[in-house]
Amino acid sequence: MNTTIRKGTSSGKSENIAIFTNNASKFDQSLFSKAELEFVNSEIKKKNKFISINQYERYIFLQIIDTDKKDRHVVLEKFRKAGDQLTALLNRLKLSSVCLLSENDNDEVIAYVEGMVLGNYQFLKYKSDADKNSFHKINIDSKKVHDDKIKELTTLCEAVYMARDLVNEPLNGLNATALAKAFESMGKKGGFKVKVFNKSKITEMKMGGLLAVNMGSIDPPTFTVMEWKPSKAVNKKPIVLVGKGVVYDTGGLSLKPTPGSMDYMKSDMAGSAAVGCVMYAIAKQKLPVHVVALVPATDNRPDGNAYTPGDVITMMSGLKVEVLNTDAEGRMILADALHYAKNYKPELVMEFSTLTGAAANAIGHYGIVCMGDCDEDTKKELNKSANNVYERLVEFPFWEEYDELIKSDIADIKNIGGAIGGAITAGRFLQRFIDYPYMHFDIAGPSFGKSTDSYRGKNGTGVGVRFVFDYVKRMAGKKK
Ligand code: BES
Ligand code: ZN
Ligand code: ZN
């Protein structure tokens, strides 16, 4: 990560200062000369919310965050966005560090710093002349923020950076084997167990869906199992995370048209990045919750041996699937992972995938489409976590009537529905492989941005990491 966060008091007159407040009449006026203060007050009157004073040895920034009559999670998002704005300005001015002064409460300061750090992310690996951000150091001068919160935020931002790095990495830098290796090194760094099944093991286990999608590839598939099992876990049955690891989706023989459709498909493993990287954060923070993450991975390509529309594939569960579109490959590989998850008798399975254009078209990048059959209390808690981190959920129906759309003439089911409810029929397809409480999160919309979206940046966003972390953390607190 390119940004360090520390706690401490402001160290004299040469350190840049940023004051943020939701009360325009409440800031330390002693920092300004009389003339400066007059200027600040006249700007406040003009409703300027972001005021900069260029002093001889430093800058002072004053940001007024409008928090009137809004839900708590909407307020916290304002703080993140304000933090991102400060980061952008610090970099524009080529400044390296800033000291934050705020009277706001812990959660507001943490949200602000989160926005600052996530907004400072860059992917520079392939830039010869990297225009590296100048800004890299935050000093928090606040009695209301505790060291453990800073440590937690640092871990979480690190995990989001790692997820973005994985999503931004192109196929020629990250095939299925490299993805599994990345998880192995995360396991070493975070302190959780990682096992990787290679092609012969995957064949032995009869993961028919994963093998079918892999047939057109020159690279072997991988299946990664990650596990964090602390001795004082609050749960008897684990939470199992499943992430789609399609390292590149050409569509296969049902080839995607380019441009506009295939060009960003290196991001089709964003679900796997989310579940692997949140494992890192959960283990690094030693959350007392037993969590497992499963990642089936391959690219999806056309080739002489590629799986073909019309083929019938026997999945690991024994179910027979008629493939009518090889571009509906995510559900093929996830089905085997969901079947494998039964071994754990999970309390809940949360599966993340860039599964359908239909989900992305329905709500765009503004939220996550979800559906599933876990109980209402769990849904409420998931919703709360999603709001806490502003990765909001939109629940789609999970009605069994949709199953008639994936009936096959010659096999148990087919891998596409019809013109309607594309996100739902994908979810209902996956439902055939579960026997436990299950939620499906379709992140096709929010996983990859084609233009900058505040602290979420551009390109890989790392969506899912903060959401799952918040859920697991709150679960740890509750069950104790
Ligand atoms: N990876 C895509 C879904 C996707 C689309 C992700 C846009 C991110 C942005 C998935 O494998 C896919 O191709 N789905 C098809 C399914 C269809 C053939 C039933 C789709 O959504 O068009
Ligand atoms: Zn596809
Ligand atoms: Zn795909």
Side-chain angles (χ1 to χ4, degrees):
M1 197 165 79
N2 65 0
T3 322
T4 54
I5 318 167
R6 276 209 196 89
K7 228 185 110 169
T9 45
S10 164
S11 64
K13 290 232 162 187
S14 60
E15 189 178 23
N16 301 308
I17 288 185
I19 307 165
F20 59 93
T21 176
N22 52 341
N23 183 345
S25 58
K26 214 174 142 198
F27 60 91
D28 184 357
Q29 311 211 335
S30 71
L31 292 163
F32 301 99
S33 71
K34 201 167 158 245
E36 285 168 350
L37 203 56
E38 267 172 30
F39 171 75
V40 168
N41 283 326
S42 74
E43 289 300 298
I44 290 175
K45 257 199 205 119
K46 281 190 249 163
K47 303 247 179 285
N48 184 355
K49 306 267 184 227
F50 197 180
I51 303 158
S52 307
I53 299 284
N54 187 355
Q55 293 185 331
Y56 182 62
E57 284 186 289
R58 68 170 173 201
Y59 279 88
I60 302 186
F61 306 99
L62 174 63
Q63 214 168 352
I64 296 149
I65 303 170
D66 162 33
T67 58
D68 280 357
K69 294 190 209 89
K70 292 189 178 77
D71 287 341
R72 183 68 179 151
H73 68 276
V74 178
V75 167
L76 291 177
E77 182 68 356
K78 293 245 170 210
F79 279 88
R80 288 185 200 101
K81 286 190 165 168
D84 171 71
Q85 268 191 324
L86 178 67
T87 288
L89 185 57
L90 292 169
N91 282 318
R92 230 179 296 136
L93 295 170
K94 303 271 178 251
L95 303 176
S96 61
S97 73
V98 71
C99 177
L100 303 180
L101 298 184
S102 176
E103 298 285 312
N104 287 75
D105 67 30
N106 172 77
D107 291 359
E108 290 166 349
V109 177
I110 289 291
Y112 187 91
V113 177
E114 186 174 43
M116 286 185 77
V117 176
L118 295 180
N120 206 31
Y121 172 83
Q122 291 185 291
F123 185 69
L124 298 173
K125 187 173 169 188
Y126 298 107
K127 288 265 189 200
S128 314
D129 274 320
D131 189 8
K132 216 169 134 192
N133 285 345
S134 56
F135 165 61
H136 61 87
K137 214 165 106 196
I138 305 170
N139 187 11
I140 306 175
D141 189 349
S142 157
K143 287 188 193 67
K144 294 183 181 154
V145 176
H146 295 291
D147 288 330
D148 55 337
K149 298 283 180 196
I150 293 178
K151 185 176 166 280
E152 180 185 289
L153 178 66
T154 303
T155 303
L156 197 52
C157 290
E158 234 185 300
V160 173
Y161 270 49
M162 293 187 320
R164 290 179 180 179
D165 280 348
L166 287 175
V167 173
N168 291 334
E169 189 65 48
L171 174 66
N172 67 349
L174 192 87
N175 60 16
T177 303
L179 181 66
K181 283 209 173 111
F183 292 136
E184 279 176 330
S185 66
M186 262 178 229
K188 283 207 185 93
K189 210 168 144 204
F192 60 93
K193 264 202 245 158
V194 182
K195 251 188 319 186
V196 178
F197 300 154
N198 61 15
K199 187 171 178 179
S200 61
K201 178 77 182 165
I202 291 168
T203 308
E204 188 190 307
M205 290 192 303
K206 299 193 168 63
M207 292 188 158
L210 178 55
L211 288 165
V213 176
N214 182 251
M215 279 172 75
S217 175
I218 51 167
D219 294 326
T222 55
F223 189 91
T224 305
V225 181
M226 299 171 247
E227 184 162 22
W228 167 246
K229 193 175 185 185
S231 56
K232 288 191 188 113
V234 295
N235 53 339
K236 291 213 172 64
K237 297 157 125 196
I239 293 187
V240 176
L241 310 172
V242 176
K244 172 174 170 182
V246 172
V247 285
Y248 198 84
D249 185 9
T250 67
L253 285 175
S254 313
L255 198 64
K256 283 181 185 295
T258 7
S261 178
M262 199 198 292
D263 17 15
Y264 301 109
M265 280 301 137
K266 67 175 183 181
S267 66
D268 212 16
M269 35 56 70
S272 74
V275 304
C277 296
V278 78
M279 285 300 284
Y280 169 81
I282 290 166
K284 186 95 189 283
Q285 287 305 112
K286 298 194 166 32
L287 296 186
V289 182
H290 182 195
V291 189
V292 172
L294 307 174
V295 172
T298 177
D299 54 333
N300 180 27
R301 293 226 210 196
D303 187 44
N305 202 35
Y307 83 136
T308 305
D311 278 356
V312 175
I313 306 297
T314 303
M315 311 294 276
M316 188 187 191
S317 73
L319 204 75
K320 292 186 171 50
V321 175
E322 184 186 11
V323 175
L324 285 175
N325 192 320
T326 61
D327 197 10
E329 84 299 338
R331 63 198 79 180
M332 298 295 290
I333 72 169
L334 290 166
D336 288 338
L338 291 174
H339 177 73
Y340 184 82
K342 292 171 186 164
N343 290 327
Y344 294 95
K345 308 211 173 331
E347 167 172 333
L348 171 68
V349 172
M350 298 169 73
E351 168 264 308
F352 287 81
S353 50
T354 45
L355 201 63
T356 64
N361 288 338
I363 66 163
H365 64 275
Y366 302 100
I368 300 174
V369 166
C370 76
M371 65 201 83
D373 66 354
C374 69
D375 62 69
E376 289 305 315
D377 276 351
T378 306
K379 282 187 184 173
K380 232 192 228 158
E381 292 302 325
L382 289 168
N383 219 15
K384 185 161 194 309
S385 284
N387 281 341
N388 283 346
V389 302
Y390 222 68
E391 294 182 351
R392 293 165 298 177
L393 302 179
V394 178
E395 188 178 0
F396 276 22
F398 202 53
W399 301 326
E400 68 177 50
E401 283 78 358
Y402 285 91
D403 293 352
E404 65 198 33
L405 301 176
I406 51 171
K407 272 190 183 149
S408 159
D409 287 341
I410 63 160
D412 298 323
I413 46 172
K414 58 180 178 177
N415 79 333
I416 51 165
I420 58 160
I424 303 168
T425 46
R428 289 304 300 180
F429 177 96
L430 295 174
Q431 189 274 338
R432 301 293 280 266
F433 300 89
I434 61 168
D435 69 355
Y436 39 68
Y438 169 62
M439 282 308 277
H440 159 58
F441 300 93
D442 193 327
I443 54 169
S447 58
F448 195 86
K450 290 171 195 158
S451 57
T452 305
D453 178 19
S454 180
Y455 64 90
R456 292 183 171 81
K458 199 178 167 184
N459 305 324
T461 60
V463 68
V465 174
R466 293 160 58 240
F467 164 42
V468 177
F469 186 81
D470 187 90
Y471 179 73
V472 173
K473 183 179 87 179
R474 289 193 314 107
M475 180 177 159
K478 248 188 217 125
K479 287 205 179 169
K480 247 185 264 174

